[in-house]
Amino acid sequence: MLKPLRWQFTLLYALTSAAIIALVGSGAYVLVARYFERITDLALQHKMAHEFHLLNAPLPSSLAFADADWSVLRSDGPAAGRRMLTAEEASRIALATRGGEMKDVKLEADKRQYEVKLRDGSEVKIDAYSGQIIEIEINGEHVNPPPAPISPPAAYDAELASIFVLPLDAQGRILFNPNPAALPMLAHQEALDAALRNGSDLRTITTGAGQRVRLLTYRLTRPDGPAALQLGRVLTDQTQVLNQLLTGLLGFGFIGAVIVGAAGWWLSGRALRPAEEAWARQLRFISSASHELRTPLTLIRASAEVALRNAEDEDQRELLADVLSESDHMRRLVDDLLTLSRLDSGALTLQRQPIQLSDFLADVQRHASRLGDEHGVTIALAKTEGTVCADPDRLRQILLILIDNAIRYTPASGTITLSAELAGKQVRIGVRDTGCGIAPEHLPHLFERFYRADQARNRANNNNNAGLGLSIAKGLVEAHGGTIGVESKVNAGTLAWFTIPAA
């Protein structure tokens, strides 16, 4: 009974873990993708600034900080955990560069640069983390510093080496090829037009060969050189890394969801075990009590019948008749409880066999007509077709429950109609009456145990009604693999229907 709840808990655990893994994985994927985009754009800008220097062209303001940003990035900076140089090491670098004797060395306030003064009047500024010489000043004049003594990491060298350069004229023709390798593409005309119009352009394109390329295009203002420079980097390696990362994240996410689902199944099983044991004990009690009550009820009824035959006083006869009626009611209630306990525990055995509904419903209509005649209600047959695979005794029980409810709320001279029609792979069987109908607020609760739509009316019509009939009918229909429902309007009658798989 609680197994569906266990599945729901397990599914909830698995979906929750999958959502968390997806959230973390998507965050990691976005971070890596943005890192690739940032390092690629910065490398393109640094390379573009270098090309401007080679062509001795005025450097655009948007590239003014490209070299500095690239130097900070490739030297890893203090945040990456690089050791800061000592004053002695900074002095050695300055002396190796300029020679002579050291006069003074100090660390600037931002703790990123050493300022080393030599006795010959020159000053050397050194990056405190990379050891790179930033600036040399001799007698107030700045001179170009020598090459950096520390090589950048190979990863950033690879970023620069993978960039190709296209010097272009205004029509997009390549003026010369400064690249050591073959070009992966020709000039991109749209990017060139945008750069000539706006000064620069940065975009990602897809070549005819299916390669994604990040393009940076800048307009040149020198009249004796190229009209524009177009730099690009093929993103195939980055795409491959991102695809591998995505595959790994999906794989780990699936494995994680399976592990969490298995753990959730185990945990929910432990959590629900006391409830399952309590439910099983309740079902055993109901079943045992139902069996034990049958014998005394049979004895009570038999004794009451004997006493009724021998009773001469009218009051005694009425009293004994009430005893017989209540014992019958108790017997039906015990049978209903026993049926419900078997349905709940799954112990109800169905003897399925093909049933031709036209003959079967005609037989049910003939037997039910006797009960209908007692209430002045006509029970008729409408269109009946189809063959179902069902337990005939349980199918008859379902129909009698629905017919009994219809008779109870159908006035004299009313009509109850039985019908059956094919509905795909199932047969829909209906019991329609011309009674008083059911208010809409009661319809969702009709199949709840011990629920009665109108308590006062039920007691007036039949004080033996315990409100279990429709619950039993629903359980029996579902045990056959079908569905059941009720359609009704006040003062317009009611249709109770259920489906059974066709044979």
Side-chain angles (χ1 to χ4, degrees):
M1 180 66 180
L2 298 179
K3 196 170 184 179
L5 184 60
R6 187 178 183 183
W7 277 111
Q8 292 175 6
F9 276 123
T10 302
L11 183 61
L12 178 62
Y13 292 145
L15 290 178
T16 302
S17 66
I20 294 174
I21 293 172
L23 183 63
V24 174
S26 60
Y29 183 89
V30 170
L31 287 176
V32 173
R34 288 186 176 178
Y35 167 77
F36 279 151
E37 182 179 354
R38 175 174 173 267
I39 192 66
T40 300
D41 291 349
L42 188 56
L44 288 170
Q45 292 170 357
H46 173 72
K47 184 73 171 178
M48 182 66 74
H50 177 70
E51 295 297 324
F52 267 81
H53 289 314
L54 290 180
L55 294 173
N56 198 22
L59 191 66
S61 59
S62 57
L63 297 176
F65 299 99
D67 283 333
D69 291 343
W70 180 259
S71 298
V72 171
L73 178 65
R74 69 179 188 175
S75 64
D76 294 339
R82 280 187 72 109
R83 179 180 65 84
M84 190 174 70
L85 300 178
T86 64
E88 181 180 359
E89 291 170 334
S91 301
R92 289 178 182 175
I93 294 174
L95 291 174
T97 304
R98 295 294 305 148
E101 298 179 359
M102 184 187 70
K103 180 180 179 181
D104 187 22
V105 58
K106 66 178 180 179
L107 187 63
E108 290 192 354
D110 62 359
K111 298 183 179 181
R112 287 196 54 85
Q113 295 179 0
Y114 278 105
E115 183 178 312
V116 182
K117 293 183 179 181
L118 303 178
R119 291 189 183 280
D120 61 1
S122 59
E123 294 182 2
V124 182
K125 289 186 178 181
I126 302 170
D127 187 277
Y129 291 94
S130 67
Q132 180 179 350
I133 298 175
I134 300 173
E135 182 180 337
I136 299 176
E137 184 178 337
I138 302 175
N139 297 326
E141 295 183 2
H142 296 278
V143 298
N144 290 329
I150 297 179
S151 299
Y156 299 122
D157 281 344
E159 286 292 330
L160 294 177
S162 60
I163 295 175
F164 60 88
V165 180
L166 300 178
L168 306 175
D169 62 10
Q171 287 71 39
R173 293 188 294 264
I174 300 175
L175 300 180
F176 57 92
N177 185 7
N179 305 283
L183 293 175
M185 58 171 286
L186 298 177
H188 193 270
Q189 190 62 43
E190 292 183 10
L192 174 62
D193 294 340
L196 294 176
R197 184 172 57 252
N198 303 321
S200 65
D201 179 76
L202 180 64
R203 66 178 67 194
T204 301
I205 67 168
T206 302
T207 66
Q211 293 179 314
R212 294 177 65 249
V213 179
R214 187 71 167 170
L215 280 182
L216 176 63
T217 310
Y218 262 86
R219 180 182 62 201
L220 290 170
T221 57
R222 286 190 54 176
D224 56 346
L229 284 176
Q230 192 167 86
L231 275 62
R233 188 202 189 285
V234 179
L235 303 179
T236 303
D237 56 337
Q238 296 182 5
T239 302
Q240 184 178 2
V241 171
L242 289 174
N243 289 339
Q244 291 174 351
L245 175 62
L246 180 61
T247 302
L249 291 174
L250 291 176
F252 283 120
F254 176 77
I255 294 173
V258 170
I259 293 175
V260 173
W265 175 264
W266 180 74
L267 288 173
S268 60
R270 290 198 60 181
L272 294 175
R273 188 173 294 121
E276 289 179 343
E277 293 175 353
W279 181 258
R281 287 195 297 269
Q282 177 181 343
L283 292 180
R284 286 195 299 269
F285 169 76
I286 294 174
S287 179
S288 300
S290 300
H291 281 292
E292 293 297 328
L293 286 173
R294 281 184 169 186
T295 300
L297 286 174
T298 302
L299 292 176
I300 290 173
R301 193 180 197 290
S303 300
E305 285 180 342
V306 172
L308 181 62
R309 285 196 298 267
N310 298 325
E312 296 180 357
D313 186 82
E314 186 63 26
D315 292 336
Q316 290 183 346
R317 293 181 64 84
E318 291 181 0
L319 181 61
L320 291 172
D322 290 340
V323 171
L324 285 174
S325 175
E326 291 301 324
S327 64
D328 289 338
H329 170 58
M330 284 294 297
R331 180 61 182 266
R332 286 193 297 270
L333 181 60
V334 167
D335 290 340
D336 289 346
L337 290 174
L338 181 59
T339 300
L340 286 174
S341 68
R342 289 175 177 174
L343 287 170
D344 291 337
S345 62
L348 185 67
T349 303
L350 298 177
Q351 304 296 329
R352 297 175 184 266
Q353 64 186 60
I355 300 175
Q356 183 66 38
L357 287 178
S358 57
D359 298 334
F360 184 82
L361 291 179
D363 184 63
V364 172
Q365 181 262 343
R366 185 172 60 256
H367 286 83
S369 293
R370 301 169 187 171
L371 181 61
D373 292 341
E374 296 177 3
H375 295 78
V377 176
T378 301
I379 300 178
L381 279 178
K383 179 182 179 181
T384 57
E385 60 178 359
T387 302
V388 297
C389 183
D391 185 321
D393 293 334
R394 297 302 181 183
L395 182 58
R396 182 184 295 271
Q397 183 178 1
I398 297 169
L399 286 167
L400 290 178
I401 289 173
L402 298 181
I403 293 172
D404 179 67
N405 275 275
I407 291 175
R408 187 176 295 117
Y409 303 120
T410 300
S413 72
T415 303
I416 297 173
T417 305
L418 307 182
S419 64
E421 57 183 359
L422 292 174
K425 295 183 178 180
Q426 295 189 325
V427 177
R428 178 181 167 116
I429 302 172
V431 178
R432 183 183 295 275
D433 63 56
T434 58
C436 57
I438 303 171
E441 61 269 19
H442 296 302
L443 291 177
H445 308 287
L446 290 179
F447 297 101
E448 297 176 4
R449 296 176 185 181
F450 301 104
Y451 182 85
R452 288 181 289 186
D454 189 334
Q455 302 288 344
R457 184 177 61 184
N458 278 333
R459 286 193 296 269
N461 287 339
N462 190 348
N463 56 11
N464 289 333
N465 178 30
L468 292 176
L470 291 179
S471 300
I472 294 174
K474 182 176 185 291
L476 292 175
V477 169
E478 291 177 348
H480 282 86
T483 57
I484 189 171
V486 175
E487 301 171 8
S488 180
K489 291 183 179 180
V490 177
N491 300 322
T494 301
L495 169 63
W497 58 267
F498 63 96
T499 60
I500 297 290

